[in-house]
């Protein structure tokens, strides 16, 4: 397939998986240093960029959710110590060098049963982690979601004065 000589803003955005707004911002910067033969406006006053400049349109950062939130409770009579042991077992069973579990323990105001709020970082083992947790906990009820503001989530889970407990894989395993 023969590549077009000039590409429109929307074509570049689609190819490079970026917004048209970001493409226009890059075009504005390139106009200062590049020839009018390489970046021009057509008869409809729309930007056209020569295919030789396509390499200038790269995503600078990838938006990836680093942590996810997990809150759970059980309907069995677990104590806080039991839940600590269960989370430690889950942590030990997951083979992920980037695994990090941060959690707080809290008693429900309605029935006084313990429950856990956490934020977890894992490379690709989220489903395995949830399966393991379900396997180790009887009658588990959980809610998993994205974290849009980690600072606010930390504030929420420590609202009653609970401390955040961290389980983190050693990063020095390669040494």
């Amino acid at each position: 397939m023969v590549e077009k000589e000039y590409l429109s803003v929307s074509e570049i955005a689609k190819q490079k998986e970026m917004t048209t707004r970001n493409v226009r911002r890059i075009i504005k910067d390139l106009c200062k240093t590049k020839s009018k033969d390489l970046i021009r406006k057509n008869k409809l006053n729309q930007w056209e960029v020569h295919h030789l400049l396509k390499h200038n349109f790269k995503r600078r950062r990838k938006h990836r959710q680093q942590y996810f939130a997990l809150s759970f409770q059980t309907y069995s009579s677990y104590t806080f110590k039991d839940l600590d042991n269960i989370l430690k077992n889950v942590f030990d069973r997951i083979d992920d060098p980037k695994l990090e579990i941060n959690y707080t323990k809290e008693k429900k105001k309605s029935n006084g049963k313990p429950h856990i709020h956490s934020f977890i970082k894992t490379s690709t083992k989220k489903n395995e982690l949830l399966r393991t947790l379900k396997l180790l906990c009887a009658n588990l009820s959980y809610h998993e979601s994205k974290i849009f503001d980690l600072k606010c989530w930390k504030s929420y889970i420590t609202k009653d004065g609970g401390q955040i407990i961290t389980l983190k894989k050693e990063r020095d395993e390669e040494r």
Side-chain angles (χ1 to χ4, degrees), residues 88-146:
K88 179 71 172 121
N89 274 325
V90 168
F91 180 77
D92 290 340
R93 288 179 182 215
I94 304 297
D95 184 31
D96 180 1
K98 296 185 178 186
L99 180 63
E100 180 182 329
I101 300 175
N102 302 279
Y103 68 97
T104 60
K105 302 175 279 189
E106 190 176 281
K107 284 195 178 217
K108 288 193 75 95
K109 289 175 177 61
S110 61
N111 60 11
K113 294 216 179 213
H115 69 280
I116 300 288
H117 291 298
S118 65
F119 54 99
I120 300 170
K121 178 186 200 178
T122 181
S123 55
T124 57
K125 309 281 186 177
K126 181 165 58 168
N127 291 337
E128 184 182 341
L129 187 134
L130 291 172
R131 265 195 314 271
T132 306
L133 184 62
K134 289 179 199 174
L135 181 70
L136 295 175
C137 281
N139 300 322
L140 178 73
S141 170
Y142 72 94
H143 179 73
E144 176 252 323
S145 65
K146 291 180 180 180

Side-chain angles (χ1 to χ4, degrees), residues 19-74:
T19 64
T20 55
R21 179 180 183 213
N22 199 30
V23 171
R24 284 191 203 93
R25 183 192 54 77
I26 294 171
I27 287 173
K28 184 179 174 184
D29 291 341
L30 289 174
C31 282
K32 296 173 186 172
T33 58
K34 302 298 179 187
S35 160
K36 294 196 186 289
D37 294 330
L38 295 175
I39 300 175
R40 65 183 187 197
K41 285 199 172 186
N42 63 15
K43 293 176 184 174
L44 300 173
N45 203 30
Q46 297 170 335
W47 285 109
E48 292 181 336
V49 179
H50 197 276
H51 71 89
L52 293 175
L53 295 179
K54 219 164 70 168
H55 70 277
N56 291 293
F57 298 89
K58 293 180 184 167
R59 288 184 70 106
R60 290 197 180 145
R61 56 186 174 172
K62 293 201 177 213
H63 296 284
R64 184 176 172 274
Q65 185 72 34
Q66 191 170 16
Y67 291 97
F68 70 94
L70 179 67
S71 295
F72 69 89
Q73 67 180 13
T74 65

Side-chain angles (χ1 to χ4, degrees), residues 72 74 78-88 103 105 114-116 137:
F72 69 89
T74 65
Y78 287 119
T79 64
F80 283 140
K81 187 170 182 159
D82 294 334
L83 291 175
D84 283 336
N85 289 334
I86 288 169
L87 282 169
K88 179 71 172 121
Y103 68 97
K105 302 175 279 189
H115 69 280
I116 300 288
C137 281

